[in-house]
Structures are given as C-alpha cells and as structure tokens.
Amino acid sequence: MRSLDLSILAGLALVLSACSTAPTTAPTAPAKPNAFPGIGLSLDELKLRYQHTYVARRLKPKKWPNGARVAVALSFDIDNASGTLARGTPGSEPMTRGQYGAIDGLPRILRVLDKQNVPASFFIPAVAAALNPEMIPAIQSRQKHEIGIHGWIHENLVELNDEAKEQDLLNKSSELLTKAMGRKPVGYRGP
Ligand SMILES: [Zn+2]
C-alpha cells in the first residue's frame, strides 16, 4: 500500500515538474519502475545478495537428544497496543485488544506453559513492557522462560528505513528492558 502511495506521489512529482518547465510537447507517461531488477544482474551479483542474509551457522544438530524426531520452539511476541501507539491511531478496539493481551492473554499463555512445563521465548517491545510493568515479573517468576527485545514501539523498520534511528531505538529498548529485567535481554527479533 505504502509503495503504491509513493509511486503515485512520484508520478505526481514528475507531472508537476513537467508542468513547471512548460513543455511544448505533450508530457509522456512516467516510466514504469523496473519490476524485475534481478534479471539484469550477473550470477556473482546475485550470489552476493543471496548470501547477504546468511547471518549465522546452522544450529540444527546431527540428531536431537533422546532420539527425538523433531524439536519445537515456542515463542510469543507480546506486542499489545505498541504498534497502534506507534502509528498514533489509538482507536478503542486496538487499544483494548492490546490491553487484553497484557492483562488476560499473557497470564493465560503462562498458565498453559506451566501446566505442560514447557519453556518459551517472549519478545517484547520496550514500550509494551513499560506500559504493563507486571508482565516481565510474571514471566520471570516461572524461571524457565527467556525474554528478548521486539523493538521500541513495534516500529516498522522497512518504513523507518533509517539505520541510525533503528540502532538508537534498539539501544533504548535494550536499556529499558535490562532495567526492568535486572539482566540483559537474550536477543532481538525485529518488529
Ligand atoms: Zn510483533
């Protein structure tokens, strides 16, 4: 949706700039953006882009403990109303849904995990943790779960598109969660 808006704006800008230079011929339609830029890249260039996202060694062991055939990781993002607050559109429905997540949703999940004695990973936007400070102690009291960062306010990093700002938000989130947890978060999942 956003890229569509931008392309409309780009088209408008082209038309406007064409108007301001008072063309003597009919304005031509703006060129269509190249839908398949990869077609023109060499195999070496494609290889570079492909490997750019290789971030770690493979963690899958040769075999799972106790002859298990699969391993399952349960992880939860406790976004609550953070994304709604980020967009500045605090309507009653998304806000109460977010509050439900903190007040009822998380305790219900914790009870199920308790019952099955299963550990899980929780990723929390720092703002969500600050607005419902009871969440982190509730998770920590089980002594089997881990907590990671899920952005400052569930910012959309693709739309933000600003490395310095992203780093700043990550640092701020780490600081807030470290204070709330009494230890550093175990990792980061981008919102
Ligand atoms: Zn999320």
Side-chain angles (χ1 to χ4, degrees):
M1 197 60 187
R2 178 53 58 102
S3 60
L4 181 68
D5 294 343
L6 287 176
S7 69
I8 290 168
L9 282 176
L12 269 177
L14 274 175
V15 170
L16 287 175
S17 69
C19 288
S20 65
T21 52
T24 49
T25 54
T28 52
K32 270 189 186 169
N34 185 354
F36 298 102
I39 290 174
L41 297 178
S42 70
L43 282 177
D44 281 341
E45 288 169 317
L46 290 169
K47 200 170 172 184
L48 260 181
R49 291 182 180 206
Y50 181 61
Q51 291 176 342
H52 180 65
T53 50
Y54 272 36
V55 291
R57 67 192 164 84
R58 270 178 72 78
L59 298 173
K60 186 181 170 189
K62 286 208 166 57
K63 57 180 184 174
W64 296 109
N66 307 319
R69 292 167 60 204
V70 295
V72 176
L74 293 181
S75 85
F76 302 88
D77 294 350
I78 316 176
D79 298 349
N80 298 346
S82 57
T84 304
L85 289 167
R87 295 202 174 276
T89 51
S92 58
E93 187 279 324
M95 296 305 276
T96 52
R97 181 156 41 91
Q99 288 158 4
Y100 176 85
I103 295 165
D104 284 302
L106 175 63
R108 291 181 70 160
I109 288 169
L110 288 172
R111 285 200 297 274
V112 170
L113 297 172
D114 282 347
K115 201 170 159 190
Q116 306 295 334
N117 194 27
V118 171
S121 306
F122 291 87
F123 290 86
I124 314 177
V127 165
L131 294 181
N132 284 96
E134 72 278 14
M135 296 194 306
I136 285 179
I139 297 167
Q140 287 183 313
S141 70
R142 271 53 185 206
Q143 297 187 343
K144 58 175 171 272
H145 306 307
E146 57 182 15
I147 298 175
I149 304 169
H150 193 42
W152 171 252
I153 188 166
H154 212 277
E155 55 276 10
N156 184 325
L157 297 175
V158 178
E159 288 181 36
L160 188 66
N161 196 23
D162 183 328
E163 189 177 341
K165 188 82 194 152
E166 180 179 345
Q167 183 67 60
D168 180 49
L169 290 171
L170 178 55
N171 293 346
K172 221 161 78 154
S173 307
S174 178
E175 209 172 289
L176 189 148
L177 287 177
T178 300
K179 204 177 271 181
M181 292 163 60
R183 54 179 296 188
K184 271 187 163 289
V186 294
Y188 172 65
R189 171 149 64 210

